[in-house]
Amino acid sequence: NGVATFSVALPDNLTTWRLVAKGITDDVRVGNAVYDVVATKELQVRPILPRFFTAGDQAQIGAAILNTTGFDLENGLVALQLSGASITDSSEPVQGFGLEARGQLRAGWPIAVEANATTVVVTLTAIADTSDGTSLSDGVVLAIPVKRYEARETVATAGIVPPGGTAEAIRLPAAARDQGELLVTLEPSLAAGMLDGLRYLEEYPYACNEQLVSRFLPNVFTVRALEQLGIDNPELRAGLETNMTDAVQRLIARQNPDGGWGYWPNERSSSFITAYILWGLAEAQNQGATVPARTIQNAVDYLDRAFLAPSQVQARWLLNEMAFMHFVLAQIGHGDPGRAGTLFDARERLGIYGKAYLAMALHAMQTDAADRRVDTLLDDLFAAAKVTGTTAWWQEDSTDFRTLNTDTRSTAVALAAFLRSDPDNPLLTQVVRWLMQTRQAGSWSNTQETAWALIALTDWLTYTRELDGDYRWSVTLNGEELGSGAVTPATVGERIRLRAEVADLLRDTGNALRFGREGDLGRLYYTTYLRYFLDASEIEARDRGIVVDRRFALASDNNGTPISQAKVGDVISVTVTIVAPTDLFHLLVETPLPAGTEPIDPSLATTSEVYDFPILDVIDEGKPTWWRFWTPTYTDVRDDKVVLFATYLQAGTYEYTFNVQATLAGDFNVLPAYAEQMFFTDVWGRSTSATFRIVE
């Protein structure tokens, strides 16, 4: 009869559900109807909570109770249950209420967040009777993340355990709290040793275009190498598929009209980062990802227009950049031997990594002339290596900030060049040892170093087939065994993780960490890192190349008078002062917020006409400002912080200002503001911590 009936159980979400019904007859007559179903409750509890807490916060949380019926509610009870926090005064966790028809009221409790809590779980329940005797109820459970009110410090070391063993001394600062851990990772092969680096790239918290490529490109080479060695790692492959699919879609959407990319969306194009993205997209395409042909061709055309005659180039970093462009174009079948030859003629002006890129480019083009030129470039690299009794590495004469070069990355790129053309070179074993020893907690100091180290070490793993192992191992801490076991060819791809609590470490002397090994066949790499915490209220501002300060003021105060207290509803201006003694490249500035505030995102339609976008002002008079059109390059607004990125910041003094709104009463701890160069992390700075009060 043209009637269909069905039933569905709606989940306990107070929202609108859409029903779409479609009908079709045998003679292809169709009908369509759309109907919205509102799922609601007659008694509702809506929590009044922040999006996060900082350990030690004291806040006035609450619940809004709504009566949506046409009847008065009687004998009402609203109850609060907590874990990770406690009620701070004589307030009862259960409060009574009555509520008129269509009315609402607010219940509140003052709470204190525990110092060691990682999550505050809030359970709110309400029950009441209507005047006709019907019982109504509602409830909600929410887990609120808690940030430690501590500055986390991590120190790390790495090495290779020789037959007979080795040792490390671990010294814990006297001011360290009891929370924290000493982690020891043993890796019987490079196949096991590369997993932490891949995880670091996957979990890196920000996503500029370089980081999107680095998130999946080394994974491509690692999965490919393991397959060649007969090792199946479904988890690694699944991670590759997820990260690659997401990154490729975002990179395609971010391509500029000229065919290139900047480091961030809508930033002017850079030849270096365009070449890196092009390489990543081409490798993703080889793995089965869908990449439009026009995306690849437009990028190739952009790079083709960017080449200059070496004789016209004064800056060495531009020559090194062109060497990388030649490398990428050669990898994807668009190499130009003649143009690369002109750069070879200017090779004396190239850096270590520039010569390595050019050697790989000429090798990929596979001409007789290229082979001789590759030998010349590798001879230059061999002569420039820094060699000790057990390690070897390369050191650049200067740092090319615009192309992200560091000595670690240059060493990895040089290793990759040798493995393609001269894999039997006796220097390479020492280079691999140096790279493995310079890791910091399983990865290197930034995404570029980590990506290139993994790419080069994957090539080494493929060449050496380093999958043998037959020995026993043991680890002791201050004479007590942390772990022991055996490595065989069947377990050579498995990592061993050992852990000790900071509370169990000695504070008045060094802690002896000893590695034992019985047996000669195979390798045993180790990384050791100590993660400890310092009380944020006691740490001082630090200047390691960047001075950072933060202050709060009412947005309505044109004088910007500093405040430490505001009222619920006030709009607060947050200003971060940045003093850069030298030019900064790829600057990251994280500004944590009080938990009782909400950052105002001016990109939303509800706020764009009222509030300005974050502003970066130059304080120094007379500074040239042509580059400020691109600064800040990108702003990331999150629940607990606002993050500024600037690809380039000229030496000087700046004020970065954005707005937040006070939403919840309480006394809130605020972690220090922090700044660093993302790809040169030895340059950093932080402010002091703060406390901020919000009143009703």
Side-chain angles (χ1 to χ4, degrees):
N1 297 322
V3 175
T5 301
F6 69 98
S7 63
V8 59
L10 296 178
D12 192 9
N13 295 347
L14 307 187
T15 187
T16 299
W17 300 88
R18 175 156 291 176
L19 169 65
V20 179
K22 298 184 179 183
I24 183 169
T25 66
D26 289 342
D27 54 350
V28 200
R29 287 181 291 173
V30 298
N32 180 76
V34 178
Y35 186 78
D36 288 343
V37 179
V38 178
T40 186
K41 300 198 76 172
E42 295 175 306
L43 173 64
Q44 298 178 18
V45 175
R46 296 182 180 176
I48 302 172
L49 297 168
R51 298 180 187 271
F52 71 99
F53 284 113
T54 302
D57 281 352
Q58 297 190 30
Q60 183 74 29
I61 68 169
I65 305 168
L66 285 73
N67 176 7
T68 65
T69 74
F71 306 94
D72 292 343
L73 297 183
E74 304 169 348
N75 305 318
L77 294 174
V78 57
L80 169 69
Q81 289 181 307
L82 290 170
S83 67
S86 58
I87 298 174
T88 57
D89 65 6
S90 58
S91 297
E92 294 294 331
V94 180
Q95 300 178 15
F97 69 89
L99 192 56
E100 68 276 9
R102 312 291 181 189
Q104 64 177 8
L105 59 81
R106 173 174 174 169
W109 296 267
I111 69 165
V113 179
E114 296 172 2
N116 297 326
T118 58
T119 305
V120 172
V121 179
V122 179
T123 303
L124 290 164
T125 55
I127 59 174
D129 298 328
T130 64
S131 54
D132 63 357
T134 303
S135 181
L136 304 177
S137 65
D138 191 19
V140 63
V141 180
L142 286 176
I144 311 299
V146 178
K147 300 176 68 67
R148 287 182 178 272
Y149 191 50
E150 299 166 328
R152 188 177 76 175
E153 302 283 346
T154 301
V155 292
T157 185
I160 299 176
V161 181
T166 188
E168 295 278 3
I170 309 297
R171 186 171 295 275
L172 183 67
R177 291 188 167 188
D178 284 342
Q179 291 77 29
E181 58 192 354
L182 173 68
L183 293 178
V184 180
T185 302
L186 300 175
E187 298 145 343
S189 69
L190 287 178
M194 292 185 295
L195 297 180
D196 276 344
L198 291 171
R199 182 172 292 106
Y200 161 81
L201 293 173
E202 291 176 2
E203 296 176 354
Y204 193 80
Y206 304 112
C208 78
N209 291 331
E210 182 277 335
Q211 289 144 6
L212 285 176
V213 177
S214 295
R215 195 168 288 173
F216 74 86
L217 184 60
N219 203 333
V220 169
F221 291 102
T222 303
V223 168
R224 193 178 296 163
L226 293 180
E227 288 177 347
Q228 292 175 8
L229 296 171
I231 300 175
D232 182 34
N233 191 322
E235 182 181 354
L236 201 61
R237 173 169 288 281
L240 169 60
E241 295 295 334
T242 300
N243 290 318
M244 186 172 65
T245 300
D246 173 70
V248 166
Q249 292 174 347
R250 294 165 77 175
L251 291 168
I252 292 171
R254 291 180 178 185
Q255 189 173 30
N256 291 333
D258 62 6
W261 287 266
Y263 284 89
W264 291 96
N266 303 315
E267 185 183 18
R268 62 179 175 178
S269 297
S270 154
S271 297
F272 176 80
I273 195 61
T274 296
Y276 190 56
I277 293 170
L278 176 60
W279 185 26
L281 291 178
E283 290 294 342
Q285 195 173 48
N286 292 337
Q287 287 293 120
T290 301
V291 182
R294 66 179 181 277
T295 299
I296 299 292
Q297 189 59 52
N298 289 345
V300 170
D301 293 342
Y302 172 84
L303 293 179
D304 186 65
R305 296 191 302 269
F307 279 107
L308 298 171
S311 60
Q312 299 175 339
V313 176
Q314 298 297 319
R316 191 178 77 162
W317 71 268
L318 282 171
L319 296 177
N320 291 322
E321 181 180 70
M322 286 195 292
F324 182 59
M325 293 157 59
H326 280 301
F327 162 71
V328 170
L329 291 172
Q331 294 301 300
I332 66 173
H334 288 270
D336 185 333
R339 184 181 273 167
T342 63
L343 186 58
F344 174 82
D345 294 337
R347 63 188 179 279
E348 296 301 327
R349 297 172 60 198
L350 290 173
I352 297 296
Y353 72 108
K355 291 178 181 178
Y357 284 141
L358 185 58
M360 289 188 286
L362 293 171
H363 175 77
M365 293 182 220
Q366 296 180 341
T367 67
D368 291 339
D371 291 339
R372 294 192 296 272
R373 289 177 291 185
V374 169
D375 291 341
T376 299
L377 290 166
L378 294 185
D379 287 344
D380 289 348
L381 291 175
F382 186 88
K386 307 292 184 181
V387 182
T388 69
T390 58
T391 61
W393 75 98
W394 282 270
Q395 184 174 327
E396 299 283 1
D397 294 334
S398 59
T399 300
D400 293 344
F401 292 100
R402 292 174 178 83
T403 52
L404 312 182
N405 96 289
T406 64
D407 291 339
T408 299
R409 194 190 68 174
S410 292
T411 298
V413 176
L415 173 61
F418 273 99
L419 286 168
R420 295 182 184 219
S421 303
D422 186 15
D424 293 324
N425 194 299
L427 188 68
L428 303 191
T429 299
Q430 294 170 268
V431 175
V432 170
R433 184 178 290 113
W434 186 88
L435 279 174
M436 293 300 287
Q437 290 177 351
T438 55
R439 290 179 299 168
Q440 302 173 4
S443 63
W444 290 261
S445 68
N446 62 56
T447 53
Q448 267 290 290
E449 286 186 358
T450 301
W452 264 106
L454 292 175
I455 290 169
L457 292 172
T458 297
D459 290 344
W460 174 258
L461 176 63
T462 305
Y463 173 70
T464 60
R465 305 185 69 84
E466 186 188 285
L467 293 173
D468 294 325
D470 186 12
Y471 54 82
R472 293 197 61 81
W473 61 268
S474 63
V475 179
T476 62
L477 177 64
N478 296 327
E480 299 290 331
E481 183 178 287
L482 272 185
S484 62
V487 169
T488 67
T491 62
V492 76
E494 300 175 4
R495 288 177 299 169
I496 302 111
R497 289 184 175 275
L498 307 172
R499 183 177 183 274
E501 298 286 347
V502 160
D504 297 331
L505 298 182
L506 303 175
R507 290 179 178 264
D508 54 352
T509 186
N511 294 266
L513 183 67
R514 300 187 182 279
F515 300 87
R517 175 179 164 183
E518 300 176 6
D520 297 337
L521 184 60
R523 296 182 184 273
L524 181 60
Y525 302 96
Y526 71 87
T527 57
T528 300
Y529 60 100
L530 176 66
R531 179 184 297 146
Y532 61 92
F533 298 89
L534 302 175
D535 188 338
S537 64
E538 297 178 2
I539 64 173
E540 299 178 351
R542 297 291 293 273
D543 166 15
R544 292 294 182 267
I546 308 173
V547 178
V548 182
D549 187 38
R550 172 190 52 204
R551 70 177 185 272
F552 302 99
L554 292 176
S556 58
D557 181 2
N558 294 329
N559 295 321
T561 306
I563 61 171
S564 59
Q565 178 174 310
K567 296 179 180 179
V568 171
D570 283 346
V571 176
I572 302 165
S573 173
V574 183
T575 299
V576 181
T577 301
I578 305 162
V579 180
T582 60
D583 291 359
L584 299 176
F585 295 83
H586 306 285
L587 176 68
L588 172 156
V589 182
E590 293 180 334
T591 309
L593 305 175
T597 65
E598 289 271 352
I600 295 174
D601 187 351
S603 66
L604 302 176
T606 53
T607 56
S608 59
E609 295 184 3
V610 180
Y611 301 106
D612 293 329
F613 279 88
I615 298 171
L616 185 73
D617 282 331
V618 183
I619 303 303
D620 298 21
E621 294 294 336
K623 287 284 186 182
T625 57
W626 56 267
W627 47 270
R628 287 190 58 222
F629 179 77
W630 302 99
T631 306
T633 310
Y634 191 74
T635 299
D636 193 346
V637 178
R638 302 197 174 189
D639 289 346
D640 59 338
K641 60 188 172 184
V642 173
V643 190
L644 156 76
F645 300 91
T647 300
Y648 172 71
L649 201 65
Q650 193 180 53
T653 302
Y654 305 86
E655 286 187 346
Y656 178 61
T657 305
F658 59 90
N659 292 321
V660 300
Q661 187 163 32
T663 56
L664 192 74
D667 293 317
F668 301 100
N669 294 322
V670 192
L671 290 164
Y674 174 81
E676 72 172 18
Q677 292 189 124
M678 281 195 298
F679 300 101
F680 309 93
T681 53
D682 55 336
V683 178
W684 61 277
R686 73 178 175 221
S687 72
T688 57
S689 59
T691 57
F692 197 86
R693 171 170 290 181
I694 300 174
V695 298
E696 293 286 356

